[in-house]
Amino acid sequence: QKIGFTDPSTISIYKTAYQKRLVRNNLSEQTDFLNLSRPKLELLNRNEIQSIINTNTVNLNLSFNTSVKQIQIHINGVPVLDKKDIAGNSISEAVQLNNGKNQITIVGIDSKGIESDPITLDMKNVSPKPQSKVYYVGIGVSKYQDSEMNLKFADKDVKSLASLFTNQFENKVQIDTLLNENATKEKIIALKAILKESSIDDTVIISFSGHGLIDEKSNFYFATHDIDFNNPSENGISYNAIQNLLSDIPARKKLLLLDACHSGEIDNETDLIITDVLDKNVKQYIPEGAKGSSARSTRKKGLNNSFELMQSLFYDLDRGNGSYVISAAGGQEFAYENEKWQNGVFTYSVINAINDLSYDTWNGENRVRISKLKKQVYESVKKLTNNKQKPTSRAENIEWDWMLE
């Protein structure tokens, strides 16, 4: 603000987001962060815990001072325990371990939301590896009740991903999709019951393909089939609802693929120019109703487009529940079209990256490391659309670079 390089509306948005985060953590701009009195927490049986074990659980005996009112335990960046309204000064908790690596982090939290210094320990569970399962849930909307906002490839993107995962994982994959008129708010929320049946060593992949909207209060919504584009909060899937699908489920390997095209300021004339600098196989598709409606442009916020604001919102999603997020959005729908591919650029990039990373000329079949998948998808999307469809740049679950298997 003092330098003067950013317009006031953008500064206002980020200040509001900053203030909201302070409130969520029971803090304010007047908090003296350098002199906070932190609660105290101790792991009493730390010396008894072996770094390599062949059991699926570990007991944690904790003591703490009276200011601790809540205990949180994460394993590999994924929350596994959130115990509130604690009385006394000690507890004992048994937590389930993943097969293989387990990085355990324990914090105590006081009534003001202030966290203790974290306790961390690394363990390796070498017990026999269980038979794991892959859950793929895909939501894609090309056909809307408001037909002016129809897209071309969103539903096909989900079908293509379902086919890919069927081929990749064969008899260990469960696939559930909601397309077009079936992609309603109620049915999407109900998918949580399926994911609740997963186990801790399973993998959950959720993909959303369709319109993304930002309302006048800066809240993000995925556009369901029957959404009111003038009032996205009524039938849209909110940020919190997407977060909830991935929260509090047994599976700890969680991947969100989010392709939210037309996520905002489509009425910017520079967005509507079809240039010749895109990849030769890439075409742009602009919904008929995208231009000329203040509701459909979801009200200008001073950012380049609403996707930049969505990035800020989704930072809390992957940090909060341990999910890994691969997402991209732009003002138009970009499709990669040739004889083999008829998909959106984002889905094309995901499929191509998984196929490339799954096989090595010298070593044969490979397991796909999630960080490499994200990196290759981002590079592909940016290259094919000449940076018009922009990947996110927010942090992911940096504690666990797991394999897609």
Side-chain angles (χ1 to χ4, degrees):
Q1 184 175 2
K2 292 180 179 179
I3 297 174
F5 286 154
T6 305
D7 62 275
S9 58
T10 298
I11 293 172
S12 176
I13 289 171
Y14 282 110
K15 184 173 182 179
T16 299
Y18 165 69
Q19 290 171 334
K20 284 182 178 179
R21 292 189 182 190
L22 288 177
V23 170
R24 268 204 307 270
N25 289 283
N26 297 307
L27 302 171
S28 72
E29 292 183 279
Q30 285 70 49
T31 301
D32 184 355
F33 293 99
L34 296 178
N35 293 301
L36 287 176
S37 177
R38 294 181 177 274
K40 305 296 183 182
L41 181 69
E42 183 181 0
L43 179 59
L44 297 176
N45 62 330
R46 181 165 196 152
N47 292 334
E48 302 169 18
I49 298 174
Q50 303 297 312
S51 59
I52 300 177
I53 63 173
N54 60 0
T55 60
N56 293 320
T57 60
V58 62
N59 290 310
L60 304 173
N61 299 326
L62 300 167
S63 70
F64 38 83
N65 62 8
T66 55
S67 67
V68 172
K69 303 302 179 185
Q70 181 180 359
I71 298 288
Q72 289 184 346
I73 300 176
H74 289 69
I75 296 181
N76 296 331
V78 180
V80 298
L81 179 74
D82 187 6
K83 196 173 186 72
K84 300 178 180 179
D85 301 322
I86 293 174
N89 58 8
S90 66
I91 60 170
S92 180
E93 292 290 339
V95 294
Q96 279 191 292
L97 300 174
N98 283 94
N99 188 265
K101 169 195 169 184
N102 290 268
Q103 184 179 83
I104 302 175
T105 304
I106 313 165
V107 295
I109 305 171
D110 67 16
S111 59
K112 296 180 180 179
I114 306 300
E115 295 185 358
S116 66
D117 290 329
I119 296 171
T120 62
L121 61 156
D122 293 317
M123 303 177 64
K124 186 173 183 179
N125 176 11
V126 295
S127 60
K129 189 173 183 179
Q131 178 64 45
S132 60
K133 188 175 180 180
V134 175
Y135 291 78
Y136 170 59
V137 171
I139 299 97
V141 187
S142 290
K143 297 177 182 178
Y144 291 88
Q145 278 189 355
D146 184 349
S147 60
E148 286 188 336
M149 301 303 294
N150 283 355
L151 296 169
K152 194 174 180 70
F153 292 109
D155 54 353
K156 187 177 183 299
D157 286 346
V158 171
K159 295 176 184 178
S160 296
L161 286 170
S163 177
L164 170 72
F165 295 134
T166 298
N167 292 332
Q168 285 280 329
F169 304 117
E170 298 178 342
N171 61 350
K172 58 179 286 187
V173 64
Q174 176 173 328
I175 293 176
D176 295 275
T177 62
L178 294 174
L179 304 177
N180 298 320
E181 65 273 6
N182 287 316
T184 63
K185 183 176 182 178
E186 294 75 17
K187 289 183 178 180
I188 293 172
I189 292 173
L191 291 169
K192 179 71 172 282
I194 297 172
L195 303 181
K196 279 283 193 180
E197 298 299 316
S198 64
S199 300
I200 64 169
D201 287 299
D202 289 341
T203 300
V204 167
I205 304 170
I206 301 180
S207 75
F208 285 85
S209 185
H211 281 304
L213 303 170
I214 300 290
D215 71 6
E216 60 185 3
K217 295 180 180 179
S218 301
N219 297 310
F220 172 81
Y221 294 88
F222 177 80
T224 57
H225 168 73
D226 55 350
I227 196 169
D228 179 353
F229 281 86
N230 295 311
N231 182 23
S233 64
E234 185 172 339
N235 289 322
I237 295 296
S238 68
Y239 153 77
N240 286 332
I242 293 175
Q243 182 185 49
N244 186 59
L245 283 175
L246 291 161
S247 300
D248 302 319
I249 60 175
R252 294 177 184 173
K253 296 179 179 179
K254 298 180 285 189
L255 172 63
L256 172 65
L257 301 171
L258 182 64
D259 188 7
C261 63
H262 178 220
S263 59
E265 296 164 332
I266 192 73
D267 56 336
N268 186 327
E269 289 294 337
T270 59
D271 282 342
L272 299 178
I273 298 173
I274 298 178
T275 68
D276 59 0
V277 296
L278 302 176
D279 182 278
K280 65 180 180 180
N281 291 315
V282 173
K283 302 292 186 293
Q284 291 174 317
Y285 291 91
I286 303 168
E288 294 177 13
K291 191 177 187 307
S293 166
S294 61
R296 284 165 169 75
S297 68
T298 62
R299 301 174 181 84
K300 293 199 172 206
K301 293 291 182 182
L303 298 174
N304 290 336
N305 59 49
S306 65
F307 178 70
E308 294 184 27
L309 181 54
M310 185 184 71
Q311 284 181 238
S312 299
L313 295 175
F314 274 91
Y315 175 79
D316 283 338
L317 173 60
D318 52 77
R319 183 172 183 257
N321 59 31
S323 303
Y324 215 103
V325 182
I326 302 179
S327 57
Q332 303 89 22
E333 182 182 33
F334 291 91
Y336 190 91
E337 295 183 318
N338 61 14
E339 292 182 1
K340 184 177 181 181
W341 299 97
Q342 289 272 320
N343 285 113
V345 162
F346 180 79
T347 299
Y348 162 78
S349 298
V350 170
I351 293 172
N352 207 34
I354 290 177
N355 285 331
D356 283 351
L357 295 170
S358 295
Y359 188 83
D360 182 88
T361 303
W362 300 104
N363 300 317
E365 291 187 1
N366 276 338
R367 296 184 301 168
V368 177
R369 190 170 291 282
I370 202 71
S371 62
K372 290 185 177 180
L373 173 63
K374 182 175 183 177
K375 182 175 185 291
Q376 188 158 324
V377 169
Y378 281 13
E379 290 175 350
S380 174
V381 170
K382 290 168 66 177
K383 179 181 178 182
L384 290 171
T385 67
N386 193 33
N387 291 312
K388 288 185 177 294
Q389 191 173 24
K390 299 178 181 179
T392 58
S393 58
R394 286 293 182 179
E396 57 278 333
N397 183 354
I398 59 174
E399 294 180 42
W400 196 16
D401 190 7
W402 47 269
M403 298 286 192
L404 186 60
E405 57 182 346

